[in-house]
């Protein structure tokens, strides 16, 4: 017989034996006959063995030879150990195959039977069987196993031609007994077919292989099972931690020292500015106290685990601030400065709410009667905040949340002088680096001589930094290939969450709160129904596509605890981990915060959303225009394409006309800027054709792309096999991105204010109020609006389609929007790079000007605190490296 790979499928009682072959062979029936013949002879040979032991071993064993009893006994023992066929099954197989076997097979069976004519029957020797000791049976099994190891003919059925696998068969036989023939995935024994792995003792039933590992063949599972290649998605493995190596940052001490020096050098000017602001406030306090020498500043009573925010602008306070001794109202130094300058502005509460005019109205029908009394922000708030000539500041009026009576007192959070000492240490460390870097550079040159992979990675890092410093988005292709192949199907992650016994939300996972993109509000839906719609699509009663999305899922900041295996997989294929690693990124300021400081939620987070390719105009699966306070990388990990039926397409076309008519009735119809190529107005057919041309032109404006092949992940056991996501020649985009340049933000805001009446937001109601055109997150620019933006203001975004396995880097401060062309699962993580700290500070200033209760107002990033602690940690790490050199 010729076999491509020799593996077997084991099951209890009702056993299916599947042996993959390179070609069909007529000898198969002969092999089955020999096997069944040995099975028949085993009953007699076993009794003979018992008689042999009962006689004290005085009888001389039969010589081995072709067809003798011991040979049959030995061959059957292999079959019994590996295939686990019961006595009844063996009897049935003997009678089944005896009728249709060839003459050679019949001769073999007869020889086996003739050589055991005088052995007693099973019934007559029943008492002798009961008398046989368990110890002797164990010794007999061990003897047979020893003989099996030397039987090359039988092992050929179980082993491949690779001799290195010979020793694995014994482990398999022991593993089958230890696991009691249980599927590692579902932990069930009653399955009819199992595939054991030739590398470990794990087995997977065929049902689980087909359901949870559709991309793996049975040969691949037998060669190296999901557990061995670290992509097993059983409930136990999904809850495991530390099973794979996540970091691909194989850098030398010199490279790490370079990164630290680079970070300190970039951040030092910001630390200097913070120290300067504090020195100015200390001088004012000395003047208030009438002292010329150093003053003593009391420490705040806040604990290490508390965040301190300004009660007026909601900005995080890192050290010095003022507090009212009467009402405990706290002000940051910037607000104190504005009070002294008389430039402080009020922060009214946002009270505007969109009104639900009904389901029919959202689809172009008439609205339900609603109250016209819409509350807006009250801007008439007293701003009479007084500052005396000596610089002392009174508490703000009651209308602003204070008491208006007491003088504010200066307090500190950090130890006295700690900030200025840190600045001195940072400057000193930069000087020491200039002296000692030559030694580290020499060590690095010796250790990395001839390393092509490191050279490629360095070139990629230089290319990344060049564009990243200029505030440009970056695409890294094929990052999933550097993972282990763990499934990112939403159902797999949901199953992991439901089985997470340590989670207090596991019992609530039967239902999720998704965002209905048409109404832009939360709706409760059964989790299984949501994921079914992710694959198959959902519609409203009028056949208009129902677009749902889950944002920041699972609903907790403990992604690492709830989905530990997926978290490790995500970190593993993160590109440029010096920036992006949320645990140990050398250039990621967010990981430098000490343990006693509360950290912002930087992710990872999962975003699961429906999507279709056609742009609907209303209810599209979109992330509306917004601007993140920090840098981010977004990776597309899973997609499912939902196609519209002809009936749906016809319905959508009719409803779009109803939407257009409604816009005209309400005088909100956008003024079309579309013209044909000859300059005359377009009709509907020409408009569609011109739209396709403009889409192609816009797609040419893509960001820089970097191949993911420059990254090299190495595990303890070597590299994992490359995971192919799709046929690269057939892959299509799944998410349409528009990323605007930072320098175009002002023009973009002006366009949105000018055309705000043409947009709809919650409940498809027209946009009535604009506080900040980008931070309000109520606009999505369709292709028509993007064309008008280019014509009126000369602004054009980077536009591209994100494909499966691509990572998109979005610099802080770049407004962007996304529309899903397919059902998409994306995983994103925020990070703070030293190159973009100035943008984080600019955005913090913009957010502090927003009214109270605005969704973007809170300073969640606390960038000043990050700067201080990042420099502190970088100085310590660089000092340790230089001392070791």
């Amino acid at each position: 017989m010729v076999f491509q790979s020799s593996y077997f499928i084991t099951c209890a009682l009702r056993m299916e034996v599947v042996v993959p072959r390179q070609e069909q062979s007529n000898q198969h029936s002969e092999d089955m006959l020999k096997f069944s013949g040995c099975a028949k002879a085993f009953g007699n040979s076993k009794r003979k063995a018992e008689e042999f032991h009962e006689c004290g071993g005085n009888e001389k064993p039969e010589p081995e030879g072709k067809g003798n009893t011991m040979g049959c006994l030995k061959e059957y023992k292999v079959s019994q150990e590996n295939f686990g066929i019961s006595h009844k099954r063996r009897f049935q197989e003997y009678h089944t195959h005896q009728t249709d076997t060839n003459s050679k097979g019949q001769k073999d069976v007869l020889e086996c039977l003739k050589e055991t004519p005088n052995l007693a029957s099973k019934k007559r020797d029943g008492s002798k069987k009961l008398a046989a000791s368990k110890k002797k049976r164990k010794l007999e099994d061990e003897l047979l196993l020893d003989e099996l190891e030397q039987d090359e003919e039988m092992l050929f059925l179980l082993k491949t031609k690779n001799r290195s696998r010979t020793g694995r068969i014994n482990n398999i036989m022991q593993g089958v007994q230890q696991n009691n023939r249980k599927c590692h995935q579902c932990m069930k024994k009653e399955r009819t077919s199992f595939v054991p792995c030739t590398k470990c003792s794990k087995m997977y039933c065929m049902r689980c292989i087909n359901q949870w590992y559709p991309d793996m063949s049975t040969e691949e599972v037998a060669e190296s099972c999901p557990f061995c290649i670290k992509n097993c998605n059983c409930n136990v493995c999904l809850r495991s931690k530390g099973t794979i190596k996540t970091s691909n940052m194989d850098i030398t001490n010199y490279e790490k020292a370079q990164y630290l020096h680079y970070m300190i050098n970039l951040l030092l000017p910001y630390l200097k500015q913070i120290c300067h602001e504090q020195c100015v406030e200390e001088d004012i306090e000395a003047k208030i106290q009438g002292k010329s020498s150093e003053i003593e500043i009391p420490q705040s009573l806040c604990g290490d685990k508390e965040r301190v925010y300004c009660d007026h602008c909601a900005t995080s306070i890192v050290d010095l601030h003022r507090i009212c001794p009467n009402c405990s109202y706290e002000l940051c130094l910037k607000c104190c400065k504005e009070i002294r300058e008389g430039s402080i502005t009020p922060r009214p509460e946002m009270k505007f709410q969109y009104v639900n005019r009904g389901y029919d109205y959202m689809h172009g029908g008439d609205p339900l009667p609603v109250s016209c009394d819409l509350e807006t922000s009250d801007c008439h708030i007293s701003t009479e905040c007084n500052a005396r000539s000596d610089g002392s500041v009174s508490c703000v009026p009651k209308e602003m949340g204070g008491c208006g009576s007491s003088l504010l007192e200066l307090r500190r959070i950090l130890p006295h002088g700690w900030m200025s000492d840190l600045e001195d240490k940072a400057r000193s460390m930069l000087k020491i680096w200039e002296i000692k870097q030559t030694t580290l550079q020499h060590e690095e040159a010796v250790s990395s001589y001839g390393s092509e992979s490191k050279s490629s990675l360095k070139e990629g890092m230089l290319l990344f930094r060049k564009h990243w410093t200029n505030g440009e988005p970056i695409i890294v292709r094929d990052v999933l290939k550097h993972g282990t192949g763990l499934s990112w199907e939403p159902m797999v992650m949901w199953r992991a969450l439901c089985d997470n016994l340590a989670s207090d939300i596991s019992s609530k996972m039967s239902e999720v709160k998704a965002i209905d993109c048409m109404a832009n509000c939360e709706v409760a839906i059964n989790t299984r129904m949501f994921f079914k719609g992710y694959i198959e699509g959902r519609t409203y009663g009028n056949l208009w596509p129902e677009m749902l999305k889950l944002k920041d899922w699972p609903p907790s900041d403990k992604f690492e605890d709830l989905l530990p295996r997926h978290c490790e997989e995500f970190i593993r294929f993160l590109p440029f981990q010096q920036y992006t690693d949320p645990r140990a990124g050398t250039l990621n300021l967010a990981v430098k915060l000490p343990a006693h400081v509360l950290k912002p939620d930087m992710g990872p987070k999962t975003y699961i959303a429906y999507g279709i390719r056609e742009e609907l105009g209303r209810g599209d699966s979109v992330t509306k225009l917004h601007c993140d306070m920090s840098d981010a990388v977004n990776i597309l990990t899973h997609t499912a394409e939902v196609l519209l039926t002809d009936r749906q397409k016809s319905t959508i076309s009719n409803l779009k006309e109803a939407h257009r008519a409604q816009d005209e009735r309400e005088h909100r119809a956008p003024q079309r800027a579309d013209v044909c190529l000859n300059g005359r107005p377009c009709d509907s057919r020409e408009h569609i054709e011109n739209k396709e041309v403009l889409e192609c032109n816009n797609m040419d404006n893509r960001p820089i792309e970097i191949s993911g092949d420059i990254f090299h992940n190495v595990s303890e056991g070597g590299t994992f096999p490359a995971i192919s996501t799709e046929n690269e020649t057939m892959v299509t985009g799944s998410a349409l991105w528009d990323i605007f340049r930072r320098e175009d933000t002002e023009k973009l805001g002006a366009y949105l204010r000018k055309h705000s009446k043409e947009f709809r937001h919650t409940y498809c109601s027209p946009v009535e109020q604009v506080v900040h055109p980008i931070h309000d997150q109520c606009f999505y620019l369709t292709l028509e609006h993007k064309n008008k933006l280019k014509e009126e203001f000369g602004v054009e975004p980077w536009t591209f389609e994100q494909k499966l396995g691509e990572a998109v880097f979005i610099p802080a401060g770049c407004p962007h929007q996304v529309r899903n062309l397919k059902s998409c699962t994306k995983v994103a993580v925020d990070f703070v790079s030293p190159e973009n700290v100035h943008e984080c500070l600019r955005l913090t200033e913009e957010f502090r000007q927003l009214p109270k209760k605005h969704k973007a107002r809170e300073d969640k990033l606390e960038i000043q605190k990050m700067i201080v602690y990042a420099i502190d940690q970088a100085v310590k790490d660089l000092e340790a490296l230089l001392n070791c050199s």
Side-chain angles (χ1 to χ4, degrees), residues 624-646:
K624 295 194 175 183
L625 187 70
H626 68 287
C627 193
D628 293 325
M629 182 181 272
S630 63
D631 306 305
V633 57
N634 183 297
I635 300 178
L636 183 59
T637 59
H638 185 269
T639 64
E641 188 168 13
V642 177
L643 301 178
L644 299 176
T645 64
D646 292 339

Side-chain angles (χ1 to χ4, degrees), residues 371-582:
S371 172
C372 295
D373 185 17
L374 301 178
E375 290 186 295
T376 58
S377 300
D378 184 7
C379 296
H380 303 288
I381 297 178
S382 174
T383 58
E384 296 180 2
C385 303
N386 300 320
R388 298 182 180 181
S389 58
D390 60 359
S392 58
V393 178
S394 299
C395 188
V396 299
K398 292 182 179 180
E399 292 83 359
M400 296 177 64
C403 62
S405 59
S406 301
L407 292 177
L408 302 183
E409 299 176 353
L410 190 63
R411 291 289 186 272
R412 62 179 173 85
I413 297 176
L414 299 174
H416 180 68
W418 186 85
M419 194 85 74
S420 57
D421 291 344
L422 177 60
E423 183 183 2
D424 294 338
K425 288 180 182 178
R427 294 184 184 279
S428 176
M429 190 54 58
L430 292 180
K431 294 179 181 179
I432 296 175
W433 163 258
E434 297 298 331
I435 299 173
K436 290 192 173 185
Q437 68 165 322
T438 306
T439 304
L440 280 173
Q441 188 175 11
H442 176 71
E443 294 176 356
E444 190 262 353
V446 173
S447 63
S448 62
Y449 177 75
S451 175
E452 296 182 1
S453 59
K454 284 193 174 183
S455 176
S456 176
L457 189 55
K458 284 182 180 179
E459 292 177 3
M461 176 63 78
L462 291 175
L463 180 62
F464 174 86
R465 188 176 290 175
K466 172 186 174 182
H467 293 275
W468 192 246
T469 303
N470 294 330
E472 300 176 20
I474 296 169
I475 301 173
V476 181
R477 303 186 302 270
D478 302 325
V479 300
L480 295 184
K481 291 182 179 180
H482 302 283
T484 65
L486 181 69
S487 175
W488 286 91
E489 289 190 29
M491 285 298 291
V492 172
M493 292 188 286
W494 178 55
R495 177 165 52 80
L497 282 175
C498 292
D499 197 62
N500 193 333
L501 301 179
S503 171
D504 57 351
I505 67 170
S506 59
S507 59
K508 304 177 183 178
M509 291 309 297
S510 61
E511 187 177 88
V512 294
K513 289 185 177 180
I515 297 176
D516 185 320
C517 295
M518 175 66 81
N520 194 44
C521 59
E522 283 190 345
V523 293
I525 182 174
N526 176 271
T527 307
R528 188 174 295 276
M529 294 301 297
F530 173 85
F531 290 133
K532 182 180 179 182
Y534 175 92
I535 301 295
E536 302 175 359
R538 287 174 61 89
T539 64
Y540 296 104
N542 58 4
L543 295 184
W544 186 266
E546 181 182 5
M547 297 287 108
L548 301 178
K549 63 179 182 179
L550 292 179
K551 185 179 179 181
D552 294 348
W553 190 81
S556 169
D557 61 351
K558 301 297 183 182
F559 183 92
E560 183 176 3
D561 296 333
L562 297 179
L563 295 170
R565 182 60 186 84
H566 282 89
C567 183
E568 290 182 348
E569 180 81 357
F570 174 74
I571 296 175
R572 178 183 174 81
F573 55 59
L574 272 176
F576 299 110
Q577 290 187 354
Q578 291 86 347
Y579 286 95
T580 59
D581 192 329

Side-chain angles (χ1 to χ4, degrees), residues 595-612:
H596 69 272
V597 175
L598 286 175
K599 298 173 177 59
D601 182 16
M602 307 294 287
K605 286 288 185 180
T606 307
Y607 301 85
I608 304 176
Y610 298 1
I612 58 173

Side-chain angles (χ1 to χ4, degrees), residues 281-447:
E281 196 67 25
E282 287 179 354
D283 292 341
I284 293 174
E285 183 64 20
K287 183 179 179 182
I288 294 172
Q289 296 183 15
K291 297 181 180 179
S292 57
S293 59
E294 190 173 298
I295 59 174
E296 188 69 26
I297 303 175
Q299 189 162 8
S300 175
L301 298 179
C302 65
D304 291 338
K305 292 292 185 180
E306 296 180 24
R307 288 191 177 105
V308 182
Y309 290 98
C310 176
D311 288 322
H312 180 65
C313 69
T315 302
S316 173
I317 296 173
V318 63
D319 190 14
L320 293 186
H321 61 286
R322 291 191 176 272
I323 184 171
C324 176
N326 182 37
C327 64
S328 299
Y329 191 91
E330 294 175 306
L331 277 182
C332 65
L333 297 187
K334 188 163 288 188
C335 284
C336 292
K337 180 182 178 182
E338 290 176 351
I339 290 176
R340 297 186 185 108
E341 296 173 349
S343 61
I344 193 168
T345 57
R347 304 294 194 274
E349 286 190 11
M350 284 192 65
K351 297 182 179 180
F352 178 81
Q353 292 183 347
Y354 287 92
V355 178
N356 186 358
R357 293 177 170 86
Y359 173 83
D360 291 338
Y361 177 79
M362 289 189 286
H363 291 281
D366 296 328
L368 296 175
V370 294
S371 172
C372 295
D373 185 17
L374 301 178
E375 290 186 295
T376 58
S377 300
D378 184 7
C379 296
H380 303 288
I381 297 178
S382 174
T383 58
E384 296 180 2
C385 303
N386 300 320
R388 298 182 180 181
S389 58
D390 60 359
S392 58
V393 178
S394 299
C395 188
V396 299
K398 292 182 179 180
E399 292 83 359
M400 296 177 64
C403 62
S405 59
S406 301
L407 292 177
L408 302 183
E409 299 176 353
L410 190 63
R411 291 289 186 272
R412 62 179 173 85
I413 297 176
L414 299 174
H416 180 68
W418 186 85
M419 194 85 74
S420 57
D421 291 344
L422 177 60
E423 183 183 2
D424 294 338
K425 288 180 182 178
R427 294 184 184 279
S428 176
M429 190 54 58
L430 292 180
K431 294 179 181 179
I432 296 175
W433 163 258
E434 297 298 331
I435 299 173
K436 290 192 173 185
Q437 68 165 322
T438 306
T439 304
L440 280 173
Q441 188 175 11
H442 176 71
E443 294 176 356
E444 190 262 353
V446 173
S447 63

